[in-house]
Amino acid sequence: MEAYEGTLERITFYSAETTFMVGRLSVAEQEDLVFVGHFPPMQEGDSLRLKGEWKVHPRYGPQLQVKEWESVIPTSAEGLQRFLASGLIKGVGEHTARQLVKQFDTQVLEVIENSPQELTRISGIGPKKASMIHRSYLQHKNIKEVMLFLQHYGISPALAVRLFKHYGEQTITLLKENPYRLAEEMFGVGFLTADRIARQLGLPFNSPQRIRAAIQFMLNQAAAEGHVFLPAAEVREKVLEMLYHQENKEGAARQEAPEQGAPASGQQGSADAGTEKTGHSLPSPPDHTAGESLKQGVLHQARTGQEITADLVESQLEILEKEGRVIRRTDAEGRQLVYAAPFFLAEKGAAERLVTLLEKQLSLFSPEDEGVVEDLLQDEQIELAPEQVQAVYKACSNGVMVVTGGPGTGKTTTIKTLLKLFQRHQLKVLLAAPTGRAAKRMTETTGLEAKTIHRLLEYSYVEGKGFRFQRNEENPIPARAIIVDEASMLDLHLFYNLLKAVPPGCRLILVGDVDQLPSVGAGNVLRDIIQSGVIPCVRLNTIFRQARESMIVVNAHRINQGEKPVLNKKERDFFFIKEEDPEQVASTIVDLCRHRLPRYGPYDPLEDIQVLTPMRKTPVGVERLNLLLQGELNPPSRSKAEIQSGSTVFRLGDKVMQIRNNYEKEVFNGDVGRIAAIDREEGELWVCFNEVSGIREVPYDLLDLDELVLSYAVSVHKSQGSEYPVVVMPVVTQHFILLQRNLLYTGITRAKNLVVLIGTFKAVAIAVNNNKVEKRYSYLDTLLQELSG
């Protein structure tokens, strides 16, 4: 390998997801060289030492394929000032960097590390700020050390940063002791990475520890795809496939090979199917080549005495079962099901508590007084369809019930009627929804405060125990009736925790549209409850006159019934723009958001218009559209501060979304806000979230920025529970894998005033005709039937 040391002159391309970089290195006394490899987020001007091999790319010419790298601390005053001003050291911006280098010259880093009290000699730096600069520098230094250690095991820098955030300075020690702890503690990314470290550390191919970790990883991945359990036969088969076939694969961090060269400007790699799902997909059955590979792998391991058999997998399953980590159950057909223990307890517990609620007959009035509903409707001048009246009566006589229906069928009116009725009978009613956006909408439509379920259950930090739900069976919710909206978004764990906190004698009413996409988390709660036939359920079918005037509502119901939508009726609220070329679709979307729709409405491009798209990648996917829309709707300016994280530039005024639950900050997956302030010197930015209780500013430091993404365009899944004045949505054949009826239906029902679809009639027809609901392994419906039988 050849080694070069120089300055990162230019970042030609960088992918935050794969950490793949194409860059130009300025080397003293020779021409700049082009290099490719995997790196953490860097700044132009960083000093690097690279080791690699030269390859000639057929399109891009000679490139140094980097095998090893390290960040070199600059030695010149100019280089040190640039390094300190890069934003990596909290508390140091350009002005402070100049002062520090002027005061301490080339000894500045030594002073920061070993004598931070000396920093107070600089005007504006007190003891508190000096301590912050010292801690931030040490943290940066430690992260770099972790990255350098882990790169030898093929671990991406992005994952190295995550590991450091989780384990801190003990990262290297803990991974050496037990690399498979990643499979248990780093949800969704663990096993393949842990296995790569373990194999290089010499752990045997058929180690029991390796097989147990693979089983747990497989169950976690199944949960990330919505499954509550896996059939035992499938667990054994998939674990064997993974342990053999993943042995020689590079893993998630090497999906983008350097031989691909630099993607063209604006592209995010190939138009593959980067979808909305999180985590790795479950391994698919091997093709004939893979089958031959597995056969050869088994023969090779058999010769070395390290083969893995189905019996060996079964023996480790038994150990996990004895330890209480895995629970097995046999279904009615004699098939054995394998659960990660928390999912078994949640599913069983949810079924038992639902049946307990159902058994309590909570009549609000005696049969001879049933006229009270009619009296209420007359007094309040409320007009209800027959099925709405039925829903009101069922809510008065049952401990738990479901109200489902599409847009315009009166779900909100039914909720408001129930509120008035319960208030007349002096019942304390609480309203809730799975997300902050859905709770805010519920508050606006009912006039009463609605909370997220997490807030309702008082999810908070408990000393020595971490974050916990404070409301439970021992400390139930103080209510006589609880109404939950957007119940299609409920995952199994959240629903079980809610049920545990419902007190005896309290009604639980679930309201939602069962035809929308299922929850992002594991389970199929609303659909299972309805399919069981055990819990009273009323489906609202009548579309009210005012709703019938909206083509959004009309077309939503047509799509849901497998009929093509009616397009481009004059003076209506549903439009279709025919365009086949994906690049032109992207260009049209930008033009609509920037010019055409604000003139048509008028609509504010940032506050009122939301672009929804099925996929993350492709020319009209989330990532590409966000770059285009940011450049047009919030372009760079001297008056707008900005800060870079990976390949993403966050700019003052940007529209952003939180993509992971952060209980400490009390912001959750899917929350959308605007960047209100950026302080490069402090290494912080503030995001303004518009919540039920009002506007709240939340601080983020540099290590938190991987929790934020631009949200000018978001996935349809991420839009659940939201309502936007205008929805713009590409419907193209490049999204074939996700052209499904419930996805198109969910997308258009997010719009309140206007929908604009852009694409081809063929793509719309494919989506409408594809009513295949993705199968999720869950057992809640059957359990309900068994327990109530």
Side-chain angles (χ1 to χ4, degrees):
M1 290 195 296
E2 297 188 46
Y4 300 88
E5 187 172 322
T7 303
L8 179 56
E9 190 68 25
R10 180 184 174 194
I11 299 175
T12 306
F13 171 79
Y14 185 74
S15 167
E17 180 183 6
T18 64
T19 70
F20 180 74
M21 180 190 289
V22 180
R24 186 176 294 274
L25 190 74
S26 176
V27 182
E29 299 182 357
Q30 69 177 65
E31 290 186 7
D32 293 354
L33 62 86
V34 175
F35 66 89
V36 295
H38 294 273
F39 294 87
M42 289 187 172
Q43 305 280 339
E44 292 179 355
D46 284 355
S47 297
L48 300 174
R49 184 178 295 117
L50 308 179
K51 289 184 180 180
E53 299 174 353
W54 284 99
K55 295 280 181 74
V56 178
H57 190 276
R59 180 176 176 184
Y60 300 103
Q63 298 176 333
L64 180 70
Q65 292 191 331
V66 177
K67 304 298 182 183
E68 297 180 15
W69 66 271
E70 59 180 307
S71 181
V72 180
I73 300 298
T75 56
S76 69
E78 180 184 357
L80 285 165
Q81 182 175 314
R82 188 165 47 192
F83 168 73
L84 289 170
S86 66
L88 293 171
I89 309 302
K90 194 171 182 179
V92 181
E94 292 183 11
H95 174 69
T96 305
R98 279 196 302 270
Q99 289 184 300
L100 286 168
V101 174
K102 183 179 179 180
Q103 177 71 39
F104 301 109
D105 198 43
T106 56
Q107 302 301 308
V108 62
L109 297 183
E110 184 179 339
V111 171
I112 291 174
E113 182 174 0
N114 299 314
S115 306
Q117 68 277 4
E118 294 292 313
L119 301 180
T120 58
R121 292 160 58 184
I122 303 294
S123 176
I125 300 181
K128 185 176 179 181
K129 186 170 182 177
S131 177
M132 178 178 68
I133 294 172
H134 170 69
R135 290 196 308 272
S136 181
Y137 174 72
L138 290 181
Q139 184 181 53
H140 171 73
K141 185 179 178 182
N142 289 334
I143 289 175
K144 291 291 184 183
E145 290 176 356
V146 169
M147 287 178 177
L148 290 171
F149 169 77
L150 293 176
Q151 72 174 320
H152 295 293
Y153 299 101
I155 294 176
S156 74
L159 180 55
V161 172
R162 285 187 62 193
L163 292 175
F164 183 84
K165 286 176 67 175
H166 189 78
Y167 296 118
E169 296 179 7
Q170 298 298 309
T171 301
I172 295 173
T173 301
L174 293 175
L175 292 184
K176 283 182 176 179
E177 290 176 356
N178 178 18
Y180 287 113
R181 66 186 302 154
L182 287 179
E184 300 175 18
E185 298 171 9
M186 299 295 290
F187 181 75
V189 297
F191 179 78
L192 302 181
T193 299
D195 195 45
R196 190 159 54 245
I197 298 173
R199 300 292 289 128
Q200 292 195 42
L201 290 175
L203 206 67
F205 176 79
N206 62 350
S207 141
Q209 189 180 14
R210 181 174 188 244
I211 298 170
R212 288 197 299 273
I215 293 169
Q216 291 178 283
F217 173 77
M218 191 63 65
L219 292 176
N220 283 340
Q221 291 307 99
E225 296 179 9
H227 303 295
V228 179
F229 62 82
L230 285 177
E234 196 168 319
V235 171
R236 288 189 289 267
E237 177 187 351
K238 289 185 179 297
V239 166
L240 284 171
E241 287 174 13
M242 184 174 68
L243 291 178
Y244 277 103
H245 290 302
Q246 297 296 344
E247 176 70 7
N248 297 314
K249 287 188 177 181
E250 292 185 333
R254 299 180 181 178
Q255 290 173 359
E256 186 173 5
E259 287 77 15
Q260 292 174 327
S265 177
Q267 291 182 348
Q268 296 296 310
S270 62
D272 63 13
T275 71
E276 300 175 356
K277 293 180 181 178
T278 57
H280 305 281
S281 296
L282 291 171
S284 55
D287 57 21
H288 67 280
T289 306
E292 183 62 28
S293 173
L294 175 60
K295 180 180 177 183
Q296 294 300 321
V298 172
L299 289 173
H300 170 73
Q301 298 299 339
R303 286 195 296 271
T304 61
Q306 291 189 22
E307 73 272 20
I308 301 174
T309 64
D311 288 343
L312 195 54
V313 175
E314 172 62 27
S315 68
Q316 298 310 310
L317 264 174
E318 290 175 0
I319 290 174
L320 288 171
E321 190 173 21
K322 288 178 182 177
E323 293 176 349
R325 298 188 180 192
V326 161
I327 294 176
R328 292 193 273 190
R329 154 191 286 158
T330 303
D331 67 11
E333 300 172 1
R335 182 180 57 165
Q336 190 177 81
L337 316 178
V338 180
Y339 290 78
F343 288 101
F344 174 84
L345 298 173
E347 191 173 63
K348 180 173 178 289
E352 291 171 345
R353 290 176 184 277
L354 280 171
V355 171
T356 299
L357 287 174
L358 181 65
E359 290 172 348
K360 292 188 180 296
Q361 295 298 310
L362 302 175
S363 296
L364 202 60
F365 41 75
S366 59
E368 60 269 17
D369 293 330
E370 287 193 354
V372 295
V373 174
E374 284 71 17
D375 292 342
L376 171 69
L377 301 181
Q378 185 174 353
D379 293 346
E380 301 288 343
Q381 296 183 327
I382 300 172
E383 182 180 345
L384 297 184
E387 61 266 28
Q388 287 177 296
V389 175
Q390 182 189 14
V392 172
Y393 275 113
K394 284 186 178 292
C396 291
S397 58
N398 291 283
V400 59
M401 70 158 298
V402 172
V403 180
T404 187
T409 57
K411 295 191 297 295
T412 298
T413 302
T414 304
I415 291 174
K416 292 165 75 173
T417 303
L418 285 171
L419 283 173
K420 291 182 180 296
L421 184 62
F422 292 158
Q423 287 166 351
R424 282 196 173 192
H425 287 77
Q426 299 181 332
L427 297 186
K428 182 177 179 180
V429 185
L430 293 178
L431 307 181
T435 67
R437 293 164 296 158
K440 189 170 185 294
R441 281 183 59 204
M442 197 179 189
T443 298
E444 293 167 349
T445 56
T446 63
L448 292 179
E449 181 190 7
K451 299 180 180 180
T452 63
I453 295 175
H454 280 87
R455 289 189 187 277
L456 183 71
L457 299 178
E458 299 177 13
Y459 195 81
S460 59
Y461 184 79
V462 178
E463 190 68 35
K465 296 183 179 179
F467 285 92
R468 293 285 189 273
F469 290 108
Q470 303 304 304
R471 294 290 179 181
N472 48 43
E473 54 267 68
E474 297 175 358
N475 182 30
I477 300 166
R480 296 287 304 283
I482 300 170
I483 303 176
V484 178
D485 199 10
E486 295 288 356
S488 62
M489 299 176 67
L490 285 169
D491 63 67
L492 181 62
H493 271 304
L494 184 60
F495 185 55
Y496 176 50
N497 280 288
L498 172 64
L499 290 173
K500 286 197 291 185
V502 177
C506 178
R507 289 172 172 78
L508 177 64
I509 299 159
L510 305 174
V511 182
D513 186 348
V514 73
D515 295 317
Q516 287 188 24
L517 291 169
S519 63
V520 175
N524 216 353
V525 171
L526 187 62
R527 187 176 294 274
D528 278 355
I529 289 173
I530 293 172
Q531 284 184 173
S532 73
V534 172
I535 306 300
C537 174
V538 176
R539 179 180 279 272
L540 306 181
N541 294 308
T542 302
I543 305 175
F544 285 85
R545 179 183 59 79
Q546 185 177 357
R548 287 200 302 270
E549 296 174 358
S550 166
M551 291 309 298
I552 297 174
V553 174
V554 170
N555 281 334
H557 287 274
R558 288 180 65 87
I559 289 169
N560 204 28
Q561 293 162 12
E563 301 174 12
K564 293 180 181 178
V566 178
L567 303 174
N568 297 340
K569 277 203 168 186
K570 289 185 178 180
E571 299 179 359
R572 289 299 181 120
D573 54 6
F574 197 106
F575 295 95
F576 179 83
I577 299 175
K578 186 177 183 299
E579 183 55 66
E580 293 191 8
D581 178 27
E583 291 294 337
Q584 190 57 44
V585 170
S587 178
T588 301
I589 288 173
V590 173
D591 186 45
L592 281 164
C593 295
R594 181 68 181 90
H595 300 292
R596 293 163 63 178
L597 287 171
R599 289 197 299 262
Y600 179 81
Y603 297 110
D604 184 280
L606 292 176
E607 296 297 330
D608 299 329
I609 302 170
Q610 183 62 60
V611 177
L612 304 181
T613 181
M615 303 181 77
R616 289 176 43 242
K617 295 190 178 179
T618 79
V620 286
V622 170
E623 294 178 1
R624 172 88 189 290
L625 289 175
N626 267 318
L627 288 176
L628 295 175
L629 289 166
Q630 182 195 39
E632 189 68 26
L633 301 180
N634 192 30
S637 165
R638 288 186 177 181
S639 63
K640 296 177 185 174
E642 58 183 47
I643 195 166
Q644 185 163 350
S645 175
S647 62
T648 302
V649 173
F650 293 107
R651 189 171 297 132
L652 187 67
D654 270 339
K655 189 175 177 181
V656 293
M657 175 183 283
Q658 176 81 15
I659 59 171
R660 287 201 291 274
N661 289 339
N662 187 320
Y663 299 107
E664 187 174 352
K665 296 181 187 295
E666 293 189 31
V667 287
F668 302 99
N669 188 1
D671 286 351
V672 173
R674 295 279 295 276
I675 296 179
I678 294 177
D679 188 331
R680 285 184 56 84
E681 184 146 321
E682 297 295 331
E684 287 185 334
L685 63 76
W686 285 261
V687 177
C688 183
F689 292 98
N690 191 357
E691 301 178 343
V692 177
S693 56
I695 294 173
R696 184 168 67 99
E697 287 191 359
V698 178
Y700 290 79
D701 64 30
L702 289 176
L703 289 180
D704 294 329
L705 293 185
D706 62 346
E707 297 182 4
L708 292 175
V709 295
L710 297 175
S711 63
Y712 298 95
V714 302
S715 69
V716 179
H717 274 96
K718 292 289 189 184
S719 74
Q720 284 182 270
S722 294
E723 184 177 72
Y724 315 101
V726 181
V727 164
V728 177
M729 185 174 175
V731 187
V732 295
T733 52
Q734 283 76 13
H735 293 167
F736 181 87
I737 192 172
L738 284 179
L739 287 177
Q740 298 169 356
R741 185 184 299 176
N742 63 349
L743 188 138
L744 179 60
Y745 172 79
T746 300
I748 68 173
T749 55
R750 300 305 90 204
K752 184 177 181 180
N753 300 330
L754 181 66
V755 167
V756 182
L757 302 182
I758 308 162
T760 64
F761 295 116
K762 179 181 179 182
V764 172
I766 291 171
V768 171
N769 293 326
N770 181 10
N771 194 32
K772 183 180 178 182
V773 178
E774 188 176 348
K775 172 64 179 175
R776 289 187 169 195
Y777 287 125
S778 61
Y779 206 60
L780 182 60
D781 53 350
T782 306
L783 278 176
L784 286 169
Q785 292 167 348
E786 292 175 354
L787 290 170
S788 64

